[in-house]
Amino acid sequence: MLVPLYEAVYERLEVRAGTRMLGLGCGSGLALLLAAARGARVTGVDSDRERLALARERLLAERERDREDGPAAIGTGLPAATGAVLPADRITDAAEPGRPSYDLITAFQPIGTVAGDERELAPALDSAIPLAERGAPVVLAGWGPPERCATDAVLRAAGRQADRLREGSRRPARRDDLEEVAARAGLRPAGSGRVACPFGYADTGSAVRGLLSTGVFDGAIRATDRQRVEKEISEALHPHLRRDGTVWMPNVFRYLIARRP
């Protein structure tokens, strides 16, 4: 669903052959795959090993389509110069001895999804920034204003049970979220933009499954149970259900480009 965001950033930063990119919170690897298709050498890290497995599978399939020694190589260790998909606790393994390894770092998991997500990103940034060249862009992403994000109401609804246990509660995105994260990481803002990223699904069932697969609702599920969360998501989706049974939610996302000093 965030493909327009990825593509807008890659186009603006001219991601191409020779780009060495590190993706923080790479999830199932779609952003890595799109960068690799442009010729970039990609490395991704994530704390969810199931999503890492899917990222590895996707990139291996892409490499199978390009039998030559393509830009996206997959592994669980060094050499990172060829690309890798790594658990988040092994982010330092992404370093290439003797030189900065990356000229682009991305953190596309949107800030402003649950309370405290900006603090959770800080350790990953602290570990990743020393792996980048000086002046390298670091891209942060976040939800746009709640009134321009139809999915915001769905996220709030599914977070009701989590709120009761103060775990993974939903909070609206703030105007300066990205700038605050960049400042705490010692980065210099160098540009920003907004991108329309509508969420569209074939039916309510696929919408529920798709939203759950993002991991946004993991805290709510831990706080209550999956069946209850699925029910709350389905009810929250009713205003976005169209006559043909499809689900359509317009959203706007924001990105910030900051530079390593």
Side-chain angles (χ1 to χ4, degrees):
M1 299 301 173
L2 298 183
V3 169
L5 172 66
Y6 306 151
E7 293 287 16
V9 169
Y10 295 160
E11 189 69 21
R12 181 165 177 172
L13 295 177
E14 298 181 344
V15 172
R16 59 187 184 279
T19 299
R20 292 168 287 122
M21 187 184 97
L22 174 61
L24 305 179
C26 67
S28 59
L30 180 55
L32 298 180
L33 189 65
L34 294 174
R38 289 171 169 259
R41 293 177 179 267
V42 298
T43 302
V45 296
D46 200 282
S47 59
D48 189 314
R49 292 178 182 263
E50 290 185 6
R51 293 189 180 101
L52 279 180
L54 180 55
R56 184 173 296 112
E57 181 181 334
R58 279 177 155 175
L59 289 166
L60 282 172
E62 178 68 17
R63 194 176 185 187
E64 283 297 313
R65 286 192 287 270
D66 182 4
R67 293 281 184 174
E68 298 179 359
D69 192 16
I74 316 307
T76 57
L78 299 176
T82 59
V85 176
L86 303 168
D89 58 4
R90 292 183 56 193
I91 189 171
T92 54
D93 290 353
E96 183 179 351
R99 65 186 291 257
S101 297
Y102 300 99
D103 48 31
L104 170 62
I105 295 175
T106 60
F108 282 128
Q109 183 64 38
I111 294 169
T113 300
V114 296
D117 54 9
E118 72 280 10
R119 293 191 299 273
E120 293 180 5
L121 178 59
L125 284 173
D126 290 344
S127 297
I129 289 171
L131 307 181
E133 296 178 345
R134 294 194 179 278
V138 178
V139 180
L140 306 174
W143 289 85
E147 64 273 13
R148 298 193 63 187
C149 295
T151 308
D152 181 76
V154 180
L155 297 176
R156 288 200 309 271
R160 289 171 189 156
Q161 296 297 326
D163 286 343
R164 295 170 190 170
L165 296 183
R166 299 182 180 276
E167 180 184 3
S169 56
R170 172 69 174 155
R171 62 94 168 161
R174 296 186 295 261
R175 179 177 179 180
D176 298 325
D177 273 344
L178 305 185
E179 286 78 5
E180 290 175 2
V181 171
R184 284 196 294 268
L187 301 169
R188 296 181 291 102
S192 63
R194 290 186 178 186
V195 183
C197 296
F199 287 13
Y201 301 93
D203 51 45
T204 300
S206 61
V208 171
R209 291 191 297 273
L211 291 170
L212 287 174
S213 72
T214 65
V216 169
F217 303 99
D218 291 353
I221 292 173
R222 289 192 297 269
T224 173
D225 63 74
R226 185 183 182 94
Q227 185 175 5
R228 182 174 296 181
V229 173
E230 289 179 349
K231 181 176 182 294
E232 290 190 345
I233 295 175
S234 297
E235 291 174 352
L237 288 171
H238 284 167
H240 312 293
L241 187 64
R242 301 196 291 191
R243 290 184 178 181
D244 61 359
T246 60
V247 176
W248 186 258
M249 295 179 286
N251 299 296
V252 170
F253 285 80
R254 182 170 177 257
Y255 67 87
L256 174 72
I257 299 172
R259 300 274 178 181
R260 181 191 174 185

